Amino acid sequence: AFENFDVVLGKRISMARPDVEKKLVDDMRGGYCWEQNTLIAMALEEIGFAVTPLMCRVRWGKPDDTEEPNTTFTHFALKVATDSGSFLADV
């Protein structure tokens, strides 16, 4: 589940894999896309998939930006390579 309590409370968010696993699995909390997709990447890699992290821009409801970008790279998703091709994974 999405959660931003730490941000609201001014706490630092660690992206170290053991910290992400502890927060989301052991402590049963939610997190940002960065944390959730890191955990999914860990699981996919553990079962043998090649995972490439992707920095993304959220475009929903935004006007065309062919002249210049009007959003920044604030989202995190994954490209997962399989025998059938590459797929986008995003929690």
Side-chain angles (χ1 to χ4, degrees), residues 8-35:
V8 172
L9 295 173
K11 295 183 179 178
R12 182 177 88 75
I13 297 174
S14 171
M15 289 306 303
R17 287 180 168 213
D19 295 340
V20 170
E21 182 176 359
K22 180 184 181 311
K23 179 181 176 183
L24 274 63
V25 178
D26 298 339
D27 297 345
M28 295 189 297
R29 294 182 53 196
Y32 273 111
C33 58
W34 295 85
E35 297 164 290

Side-chain angles (χ1 to χ4, degrees), residues 48-52 79-83 85-87:
F49 288 98
V51 178
T52 303
K79 181 172 88 170
V80 182
T82 73
D83 292 340
S86 294
F87 294 87

